[in-house]
C-alpha cells in the first residue's frame, strides 16, 4: 500500500505509535503543524482519517473517540511492536546467559528495522519520537553484539563494530565492544589505539574523561582479561544497573488519569529528547502552585520517554509529607541505593569520618556522598527526577556532574540559581482541560447528564488538578450520587476546602506547606491572613498596603514573598508599570480559614484570661 504526502504518513505513524490508545486532537495538531495549526485543522484531520480508512480496509479500524482518534489492528503486525517484543525477550535471555537464544531474538528484532524510521513524516513528529526509537534500536544492537561476543563471534562482528564506532564515535559501549573484539582477535595495539582515540574525542568535544564502561575495558585489555571463551568478552551487569537490561528504575507508577496537559507534555518530552541527545540543557524545571500537577506531568513525561535513558531513571522526593525539606544527605543515600551502592542512612548531621569515610554507625558525610554519587552517575545516560525542590541551597549537591545525566526538577517557585535550566511553568487548567480531567475519574456521560452541576463543580475547583482529582474520586466512589449533590456540598465557601479532601487527597494540606517553606513563614502567614478579604480580582501593592497597614514598598516586599512561595500570582502591570497581583480562588479560601483560626485562638485566649 502506497501513501502520499507527509501529513497522511504522520497521522498513520502517530496512531500506530499510540499502541491502541486515543490520540487527542491537540496532540495530532501539534505533530502535524507544530504550534500554529491552521483554522481548518479539524476538517483536515477528518479528511486524513477518511483517506486512511479507505486505504487500510476492514482489517484496521480508526474510531472517533473523544478527545481524538484511536486505531485498532488486532490481526495486523506492526514492526515497532514486534521489535519491542523480541528486544524484550532477547535482553531477558541475555540477562540469563542464554547467549545463543539472545543473539537469535535480537537479530530477529533488528530485522524489523527496514530503512529509516519515521520516513516522510513531519519534523514535529520526528523531533518528538525519533530520538527514543533510534536509542531503542542502538540498545538492541549493543545487546546483540554482547551476545555475539559471549559466543566467541568476535571476528564476525569486528568490521561491523568498526563501522558503528565511526558513525557514533562518542558512544562508549560500542567502542568498548570494538576494543574487546580487537583484543580477542589478537590485535591488542588496535584495541588500545581505539581507547586513546575515544578518550581524545571525549575530552575535546565534551570535556570529560572516559566513563566506567570504556575505562574498565581499557584496564581489562591491559591486564589481559579480555580473552576468548563464552562470556569473556562482555561485562556482566553490575549492581549499579549500568547495563540497559538491568538499569535502575525508581519512578513511581504513572498516573492512569493524566489529562489536560497535552501541550505542556509535548513541550516537556521534546525538551527531554533534546537534553538526552545533547542539544539542550541538562536541568529542566517544572514549576507552579501546590496541586497544579507538577509531579504528574514530570512522571508522565519520564514514563513515556523510557528508551532515552539506558543508564536508568532515578527518583527522589525532596520533602517529607508535612512539607519539611529533607537533608541532601538523606536524598543522596536513597539515590545511591537505587544505583546499587550499600551506604548507611544519611542525615542532617555530619560526624567525624572513620577509616571508611563514614562514622561509626555507617553514616557518610555529605561531601563524600556527593563524590560517590557523581562517580556513580558519570558517563551514564540517565534521568534523575527530583520532586518538590524548596531552594537551590539544598538542591546543589543533588545535581550530577555528568553531561549524560538529565535532571528533571519540580518545585513551586522558579529556581533562578539553577543555571542554564529550561522551565515549564504550569497554570491552573482551563475549562475544557479541567472537564477532561474530572471526566477521567467521574465518567464523561455522568457529567454531561448534569451540565449545570458540572459547571458548578468546575468553578469550585478553579482549574486546580488536585481539587479536580479529589472531586472526581469522590464521585467515582459514590456512583449513586447525583453530581448536583456534591456541587451543593462544595457551594459554601467556608466549608469548601474541607469538602475538597478525599481518599488521601487534601487540597488545604497541600497548600499549607507553601507557607511553612518560606524563610519568614510567620510573616507570610500574617500577610495571607490580612489579605483574606481582598477578593479574587487583580490588585496593586498600594491596595494591599491598606489591608496590611504598611507603606506600599513594604507591602510589595510582603507580596513578593507570597509570589516566591507560589501562593500569589503576578498577572500584569497597571498604567504606571507597577505589578498587579491575584490570588487563586482556593488560596483565598485558605487565607479565610487561617483568619478564622486566628480569631478563634484570640477568643480562646481572651476566655482563658
Amino acid at each position: 500500500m502506497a501513501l502520499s504526502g507527509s501529513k497522511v504518513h504522520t497521522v498513520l505513524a502517530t496512531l500506530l505509535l499510540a499502541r491502541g490508545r486515543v490520540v487527542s486532537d491537540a496532540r495530532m495538531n501539534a505533530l502535524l503543524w507544530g504550534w500554529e495549526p491552521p483554522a481548518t485543522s479539524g476538517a483536515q484531520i477528518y479528511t486524513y482519517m477518511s483517506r486512511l480508512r479507505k486505504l487500510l480496509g476492514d482489517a484496521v479500524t480508526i474510531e472517533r473517540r473523544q478527545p481524538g482518534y484511536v486505531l485498532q489492528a488486532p490481526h495486523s503486525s506492526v514492526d515497532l511492536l514486534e521489535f519491542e517484543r523480541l528486544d524484550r525477550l532477547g535482553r531477558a535471555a541475555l540477562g540469563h546467559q542464554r547467549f545463543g537464544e539472545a543473539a537469535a531474538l535480537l537479530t530477529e528484532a533488528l530485522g524489523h528495522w527496514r530503512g529509516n524510521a519515521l520516513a516522510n513524516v513531519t519534523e514535529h513528529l520526528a523531533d518528538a519520537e525519533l530520538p527514543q526509537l533510534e536509542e531503542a534500536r542502538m540498545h538492541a544492537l549493543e545487546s546483540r553484539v554482547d551476545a555475539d561476543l559471549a559466543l566467541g563471534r568476535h571476528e564476525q562482528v569486528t568490521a561491523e563494530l568498526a563501522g558503528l564506532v565511526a558513525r557514533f564515535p562518542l558512544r562508549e559501549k560500542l567502542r568498548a565492544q570494538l576494543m574487546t573484539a580487537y583484543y580477542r582477535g589478537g590485535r591488542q595495539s588496535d584495541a588500545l589505539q581505539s581507547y586513546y582515540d575515544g578518550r581524545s574525542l571525549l575530552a575535546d568535544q565534551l570535556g570529560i574523561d572516559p566513563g566506567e564502561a570504556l575505562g574498565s575495558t581499557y584496564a581489562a585489555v591491559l591486564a589481559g582479561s579480555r580473552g576468548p571463551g563464552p562470556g569473556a568478552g562482555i561485562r556482566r551487569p553490575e549492581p549499579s544497573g549500568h547495563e540497559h537490561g538491568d538499569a535502575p528504575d525508581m519512578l513511581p507508577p504513572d498516573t492512569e488519569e493524566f489529562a489536560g496537559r497535552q501541550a505542556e507534555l509535548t513541550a516537556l518530552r521534546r525538551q527531554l529528547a533534546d537534553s538526552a541527545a545533547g542539544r539542550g540543557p541538562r536541568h529542566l524545571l517544572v514549576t507552579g502552585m501546590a496541586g497544579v500537577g507538577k509531579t504528574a506531568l514530570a512522571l508522565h513525561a519520564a514514563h513515556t520517554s523510557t528508551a532515552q535513558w539506558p543508564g536508568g531513571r532515578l527518583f527522589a522526593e525532596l520533602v517529607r509529607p508535612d512539607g519539611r525539606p529533607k537533608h541532601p544527605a538523606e536524598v543522596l543515600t536513597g539515590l545511591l541505593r537505587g544505583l546499587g551502592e550499600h551506604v548507611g542512612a544519611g542525615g542532617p548531621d555530619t560526624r567525624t569520618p572513620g577509616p571508611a569515610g563514614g562514622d561509626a554507625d555507617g553514616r557518610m558525610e555529605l561531601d563524600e556522598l556527593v563524590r560517590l554519587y557523581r562517580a556513580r552517575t558519570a558517563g551514564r545516560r540517565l534521568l534523575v527526577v527530583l520532586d518538590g525542590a524548596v531552594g537551590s541551597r539544598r538542591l546543589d549537591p543533588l545535581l550530577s556532574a555528568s553531561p549524560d545525566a538529565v535532571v528533571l526538577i519540580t518545585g513551586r517557585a522558579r529556581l533562578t540559581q539553577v543555571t542554564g535550566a529550561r522551565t515549564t511553568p504550569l497554570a491552573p487548567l482551563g475549562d475544557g482541560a479541567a472537564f477532561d480531567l474530572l471526566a477521567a475519574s467521574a465518567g464523561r456521560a455522568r457529567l454531561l447528564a448534569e451540565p449545570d452541576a458540572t459547571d458548578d463543580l468546575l468553578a469550585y475547583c478553579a482549574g486546580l488538578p488536585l481539587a479536580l482529582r479529589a472531586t472526581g474520586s469522590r464521585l467515582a466512589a459514590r456512583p449513586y450520587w447525583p453530581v448536583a449533590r456534591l456541587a451543593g456540598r462544595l457551594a459554601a465557601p467556608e466549608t469548601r476546602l474541607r469538602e475538597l479532601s478525599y481518599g488521601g487527597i487534601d487540597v488545604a494540606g497541600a497548600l499549607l506547606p507553601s507557607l511553612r517553606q518560606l524563610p519568614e513563614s510567620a510573616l507570610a502567614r500574617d500577610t495571607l491572613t490580612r489579605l483574606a478579604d481582598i477578593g479574587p480580582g487583580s490588585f496593586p501593592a498600594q491596595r494591599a498596603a491598606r489591608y496590611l497597614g504598611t507603606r506600599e514598598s513594604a507591602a510589595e516586599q510582603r507580596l513578593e514573598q507570597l509570589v516566591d512561595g507560589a501562593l500569589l500570582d503576578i498577572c500584569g502591570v497597571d498604567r504606571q508599570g507597577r505589578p498587579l497581583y491575584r490570588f487563586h480562588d482556593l488560596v483565598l479560601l485558605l487565607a479565610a480559614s487561617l483568619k478564622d483560626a486566628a480569631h478563634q485562638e484570640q477568643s480562646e485566649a481572651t476566655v482563658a484570661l
Side-chain angles (χ1 to χ4, degrees), residues 522-589:
L523 181 62
R525 186 185 183 102
D526 180 71
T527 303
L528 192 60
T529 301
R530 291 175 180 271
L531 295 176
D533 298 325
I534 202 166
S538 61
F539 59 90
Q542 183 182 24
R543 183 181 171 204
R546 294 197 295 269
Y547 285 84
L548 297 173
T550 65
R551 297 189 304 275
E552 181 179 349
S553 59
E556 186 169 345
Q557 290 180 350
R558 294 177 68 168
L559 293 176
E560 290 297 324
Q561 186 186 23
L562 295 182
V563 172
D564 290 340
L567 288 163
L568 183 64
D569 290 327
I570 297 177
C571 58
V573 295
D574 62 14
R575 292 180 179 178
Q576 287 74 41
R578 296 174 299 188
L580 293 173
Y581 303 90
R582 181 171 57 207
F583 282 109
H584 186 273
D585 290 354
L586 296 180
V587 174
L588 276 178
L589 293 183

Side-chain angles (χ1 to χ4, degrees), residues 501-513:
S501 175
Y502 185 79
I505 302 174
D506 182 6
V507 173
L511 292 172
L512 276 172

Side-chain angles (χ1 to χ4, degrees), residues 9 17 64 81 114 136 152 195 207 213 280 322 328 356 364 395 403 408 424 437 503 506 508 566 579 602:
H9 278 90
L17 287 168
R64 176 63 176 171
L81 301 184
R114 305 163 191 175
Y195 171 80
D322 62 0
M364 300 178 70
L395 193 61
L408 177 58
T424 300
L437 183 55
D506 182 6
Q602 289 177 352

Side-chain angles (χ1 to χ4, degrees), residues 80-403:
L80 175 61
L81 301 184
E82 280 299 293
F83 163 77
E84 291 176 338
R85 181 182 69 84
L86 293 166
D87 176 49
R88 186 167 56 250
L89 293 173
R91 287 188 287 106
L94 183 63
H96 289 90
Q97 300 187 22
R98 300 195 303 269
F99 302 119
E101 179 185 349
L105 286 167
L106 291 165
T107 298
E108 185 179 355
L110 292 165
H112 285 277
W113 281 77
R114 305 163 191 175
N116 297 324
L118 299 182
N120 199 22
V121 300
T122 63
E123 61 179 4
H124 311 295
L125 176 57
D127 289 344
E129 297 290 347
L130 193 55
Q132 53 262 42
L133 292 179
E134 292 290 353
E135 193 64 35
R137 177 175 179 268
M138 291 303 299
H139 282 302
L141 182 57
E142 290 170 345
S143 297
R144 195 223 75 210
V145 173
D146 271 348
D148 285 336
L149 289 173
L151 293 167
R153 299 172 180 170
H154 48 277
E155 291 184 355
Q156 292 94 318
V157 299
T158 298
E160 178 187 11
L161 282 169
L164 288 169
V165 169
R167 288 176 57 199
F168 307 101
L170 298 179
R171 201 168 184 97
E172 294 187 54
K173 182 168 183 179
L174 285 176
R175 189 175 294 274
Q177 290 174 326
L178 177 60
M179 289 173 62
T180 299
Y182 276 148
Y183 179 82
R184 291 173 58 185
R187 301 168 59 180
Q188 183 179 15
S189 62
D190 288 331
L192 294 175
Q193 186 61 52
S194 181
Y195 171 80
Y196 299 141
D197 291 343
R199 183 178 65 181
S200 178
L201 282 169
L202 290 169
D204 292 344
Q205 297 191 25
L206 301 178
I208 61 172
D209 293 326
E212 195 273 340
L214 202 53
S216 64
T217 303
Y218 172 66
V221 168
L222 289 177
S225 58
R226 277 291 187 263
I234 66 171
R235 184 166 50 84
R236 299 282 177 238
E238 300 174 359
S240 65
H242 184 73
E243 291 294 318
H244 177 61
D246 249 1
D249 194 344
M250 299 173 64
L251 292 184
D254 196 6
T255 177
E256 297 180 359
E257 301 169 359
F258 187 84
R261 294 285 187 200
Q262 196 57 54
E264 293 91 341
L265 177 62
T266 299
L268 184 56
R269 289 188 63 191
R270 183 180 296 115
Q271 292 173 18
L272 285 168
D274 288 345
S275 297
R279 299 189 300 266
R282 292 188 296 114
H283 301 147
L284 304 176
L285 304 179
V286 179
T287 62
M289 67 178 290
V292 81
K294 303 179 294 295
T295 303
L297 174 65
L299 286 178
H300 194 63
H303 274 287
T304 53
S305 62
T306 305
Q308 296 170 354
W309 317 110
R313 299 178 296 182
L314 307 180
F315 177 84
E317 292 180 333
L318 304 185
V319 294
R320 305 183 188 283
D322 62 0
R324 289 184 298 120
K326 295 180 181 178
H327 191 276
E330 181 182 353
V331 178
L332 283 171
T333 297
L335 291 171
L336 284 166
R337 287 173 176 171
L339 290 164
E341 287 289 337
H342 301 291
V343 292
D349 58 324
T350 56
R351 309 181 186 180
T352 303
D359 61 18
D361 67 356
R363 191 186 304 269
M364 300 178 70
E365 291 190 21
L366 178 59
D367 288 346
E368 181 63 23
L369 287 168
V370 170
R371 286 194 294 270
L372 181 58
Y373 177 60
R374 290 179 176 174
R376 299 303 290 126
T377 56
R380 300 177 59 153
R381 188 177 301 173
L382 52 80
L383 175 66
V384 184
V385 181
L386 301 177
D387 186 37
V390 176
S392 299
R393 183 176 64 85
R394 290 180 177 268
L395 193 61
D396 286 343
L398 308 177
L399 301 180
S400 170
S402 170

Side-chain angles (χ1 to χ4, degrees), residues 51-62:
R51 190 183 307 173
L52 282 175
R53 290 189 185 101
K54 294 178 182 178
L55 290 170
L56 296 174
D58 297 336
V60 176
T61 61
I62 299 177

